[in-house]
Structures are given as C-alpha cells and as structure tokens.
Amino acid sequence: MIDDPRTHDLELFRARQKSRNRVLGSILGALAVLFFAISIVKISNQSHKKAEAAAAMAGQH
Amino acid sequence: MTQPAISPALPADWRDFFALTKPRVMSLVIFTGLCGLLAAPGSLHPVLAFTAILCIAVGAGGAAALNQWWEADLDAGMKRTAQRPLPAGRMDRESARDFGFGLSGAAVAIMGLAIGWLPAAILALSIFYYSWIYTVWLKPRTPQNIVIGGGAGAFPPLIGWVAVTGDITLMPVLLFLIIFMWTPPHFWALALFVKTDYAKVGIPMMPVVAGEKSTRRQILAYTVLLVPLSVVPWFIGGTGMIYGVSALVLGGVFIVLSTEVGLRSSVPDDAMKPEKRLFAFSILYLFILFAMLVADRFATIYGWQA
C-alpha cells in the first residue's frame, strides 16, 4: 500500500500539518512567556513609581 | 475507516509563511529600529525594548505579506520574484492575506498595550503606508514610487525612538528623513542594473520611464541632499562629534560613488560595476551611520566625549 498515492498524500499532509502545529505551538508558548514578562515589568514599574511618589511626599513633610 | 477520496490541497509549509515576511528586509528594519531605540534619550526596560523591536519587525513582516498578496501577479512575471510562495503556487492567496492582516494587527495591538499608543499609531501608519499608499496606490502609478515608498522604510528608527521617549521631537524626524533621502539613490542604483524585469510587468520604475540619464542625475541629486541632512543631528546638538564626523566621511564616499554613477552613461553589455558598487555601499552606509549614532550616544553617556 506504500505506493498508493492516497496514503502517500495523506502522510505528506499530516507531516505538513504537524510541522505547522509545532511552529505555531512554539510561537504561542513564546508569546505567553513574553506577556508574562511584560506584566511583571509593568507591575514593578508601577510600584517603583508609587514608592518614588510616596518618598517625595514624605520628603516634603 | 475510509480514506479521503480526493487528497485535500496541502497546507502551505511554515517556511513559506516565514518567507512571506521578507526576512532580509526585516533585518534592516530591526537594525534601524534598534538604533533609534538605543540612541533615544531615556531608557526602556530590556523586556519592553525587546517587545518594541519585535512589534516593529512583526509589523514590517505583516506589511511585506500584504504587499506580496497584492502583487502576486506582478511577482510571477519577474525572474527575481517568481519563486516567492504565492507566484510559485506554494500557498493560496487567502492564507497570505489573513497572515498579513493577522501579523499587522497583532503587532499594533501588542505595541499599544505594552509600550504605548503613540508608537503603536505610528506603527499602524507605517504598515498602512507601505501596504496601501505605496503598494496599491503609488507603485503602479508614478516613477517617483520609490521616493514615496522610502517613507515606509524610514519609520522603524522613528518608532524605536518614540517607544522610549513617548513623544515626537526633531531628532527622530531627522532619522526618518535621512532614510527617506537615502532610499532613492539606494534603490535606483539597483534599478539601473535590473531594469528589464520591471519593464516587463509594467511597473513605472524611474530608469524605464524617465530614461537612464535622468535617473542617474536624480541619484546624484538625492545624494547631494542626503549628505547635509545627515549632518544636521550634529549641528543641532542632538549628537556629538563621533556621529558628525562619521556622517561627513560616509557622505563624502557616497557622493564620490554617486557622482561616478551620475555622470556616466552605460554602453551596450555594460557590466554596470559603478552602479553595483554604489548599491553595495549604500547598504553599508546606512548600517555604519546608524551604528555610529548609537556609538555616539553611548560615548556621551560614559563621558568619552562632551
């Protein structure tokens, strides 16, 4: 049955699908990591700003 | 279990999607965007800086995919582009279109949420500029298409800069203008030695429409305008001497090479060596000029120059 073009095409089709899924999966995984990192940076930037503002307020008093 | 009676069309290989983003053009986009980001006064957290560059690159990739979706027929007619995924029949058009819109939209949205809506708006404008104003509207209509299209390539350093500072000032606009003025001599030098291809598909490239002589003169004219412009960042005090002197030296070489191209005319079976040399140098010129811009900024930060 190896020479059956239908089997052969289907194998090629599945292989193509598989490689696309792998690449898409890694991209989505990388994006998830990136979004997490962005969130952490943004949150810590915000708390830095708050701390600075509080320090400035304390300095005035 | 039943086998499918007719094998479905193969889905496009992921490498063809990657090729659709014009990775080689993207490398110049990443470089100039990064230089704009590093040369700007102020600082950006490395994660956010990476995100900004990623968004600029992905936006450029999306615009490139949209450009190839629109121009698939033209690309099929030119030797240089006939093997791209769409004209070669390795991908259907809808996939390229959706991929282009998807990348562009994602790049703008992430830029807006992570960095700011001003750089995101400029990124959106640059994508629109390249894929509509240039590709659809002006490229088939005017031989000045490259001059206007150069604007699309000029956006990355502007976006990189604005990602750091959050506002548009004279310096990033100057960087924009430098690439804008650099594009015509860079591209027309190429067009002089590959002009037959564009003529075949009816794109009004300058050498085809206005003739070789006029193109050569215009290459020289734009270079003569570019060199003083490239020194302006130094004159207004936006950069120090490292950048200024580099711009003068590089500009001098650029003028010498483009004078050679500007004042000669080709003979039958011309090897077009001066044109090829000018084209190769123009790429080097932009790389070194922008690298010097960054070097200049770091030299100032570390106190190596006033």
Side-chain angles (χ1 to χ4, degrees), chain B:
Chain B
M1 198 181 129
T2 53
Q3 293 277 350
I6 307 160
S7 65
L10 266 183
D13 194 279
W14 67 266
R15 290 174 195 85
D16 283 327
F17 280 103
F18 183 64
L20 219 51
T21 61
K22 296 192 185 170
R24 269 201 295 177
V25 176
M26 207 194 265
S27 62
L28 196 65
V29 165
I30 290 174
F31 178 75
T32 55
L34 185 66
C35 288
L37 192 140
L38 291 175
S43 66
L44 199 59
H45 189 283
V47 170
L48 297 182
F50 172 79
T51 309
I53 297 300
L54 184 74
C55 289
I56 296 174
V58 171
L66 289 174
N67 163 278
Q68 287 173 73
W69 162 59
W70 190 262
E71 290 189 335
D73 295 330
L74 295 181
D75 284 349
M78 294 197 288
K79 204 172 71 189
R80 186 172 65 88
T81 52
Q83 282 313 307
R84 285 178 178 175
L86 286 179
R90 295 196 303 273
M91 185 189 290
D92 60 304
R93 287 185 178 211
E94 287 71 25
S95 300
R97 180 198 61 195
D98 299 347
F99 181 63
F101 277 112
L103 287 189
S104 308
V108 172
I110 296 173
M111 180 73 101
L113 291 169
I115 313 295
W117 290 103
L118 182 63
I122 306 172
L123 180 63
L125 177 69
S126 74
I127 296 168
F128 175 72
Y129 192 103
Y130 181 69
S131 54
W132 177 264
I133 298 185
Y134 170 67
T135 304
V136 177
W137 195 34
L138 292 167
K139 192 172 174 185
R141 279 183 179 74
T142 159
Q144 290 290 334
N145 47 21
I146 288 310
V147 180
I148 298 132
F155 276 108
L158 174 69
I159 302 170
W161 188 291
V162 173
V164 176
T165 61
D167 59 358
I168 303 177
T169 49
L170 185 57
M171 268 299 286
V173 174
L174 282 171
L175 300 185
F176 176 92
L177 288 176
I178 288 169
I179 301 190
F180 189 81
M181 290 304 215
W182 165 88
T183 311
H186 162 74
F187 194 84
W188 284 334
L190 173 78
L192 278 174
F193 58 85
V194 295
K195 64 181 169 186
T196 44
D197 257 10
Y198 284 109
K200 222 167 67 187
V201 293
I203 287 289
M205 277 303 159
M206 193 56 86
V208 180
V209 180
E212 213 189 285
K213 205 174 160 195
S214 158
T215 308
R216 288 172 184 281
R217 273 204 312 267
Q218 292 189 61
I219 286 178
L220 185 54
Y222 275 101
T223 312
V224 168
L225 289 174
L226 166 69
V227 174
L229 184 72
S230 70
V231 190
V232 174
W234 183 30
F235 283 152
I236 63 165
T239 71
M241 234 177 70
I242 294 178
Y243 170 83
V245 173
S246 312
L248 277 176
V249 173
L250 287 166
V253 179
F254 208 160
I255 286 188
V256 168
L257 291 180
S258 64
T259 307
E260 202 180 338
V261 170
L263 300 181
R264 79 189 272 272
S265 48
S266 64
V267 291
D269 291 328
D270 202 310
M272 292 291 203
K273 276 212 174 120
E275 290 73 19
K276 286 176 183 164
R277 197 160 51 210
L278 177 64
F279 177 71
F281 176 76
S282 66
I283 298 171
L284 192 68
Y285 171 88
L286 202 67
F287 263 101
I288 301 181
L289 189 74
F290 273 78
M292 283 302 151
L293 184 74
V294 176
D296 185 283
R297 159 121 178 106
F298 280 95
T300 308
I301 290 176
Y302 291 109
W304 298 331
Q305 70 173 0

Side-chain angles (χ1 to χ4, degrees), chain A residues 9 12-13 16 20 23 41-42, chain B residues 7 11-14 45 113-114:
Chain A
D9 282 358
L12 199 64
F13 184 90
R16 191 60 71 80
R20 279 171 56 134
V23 172
V41 170
K42 293 219 131 199
Chain B
S7 65
D13 194 279
W14 67 266
H45 189 283
L113 291 169

Side-chain angles (χ1 to χ4, degrees), chain A:
Chain A
M1 284 297 279
I2 289 169
D3 288 338
D4 183 343
R6 285 175 308 181
T7 324
H8 185 69
D9 282 358
L10 192 67
E11 270 172 19
L12 199 64
F13 184 90
R14 292 286 179 232
R16 191 60 71 80
Q17 265 188 334
K18 205 172 179 181
S19 74
R20 279 171 56 134
N21 291 347
R22 273 205 190 122
V23 172
L24 195 57
S26 358
I27 291 173
L28 290 176
L31 277 180
V33 174
L34 180 68
F35 291 160
F36 179 73
I38 292 172
S39 310
I40 297 297
V41 170
K42 293 219 131 199
I43 291 165
S44 63
N45 275 357
Q46 237 166 14
S47 52
H48 273 304
K49 268 184 200 156
K50 268 187 195 157
E52 272 168 25
M57 287 278 276
Q60 277 174 1
H61 289 297

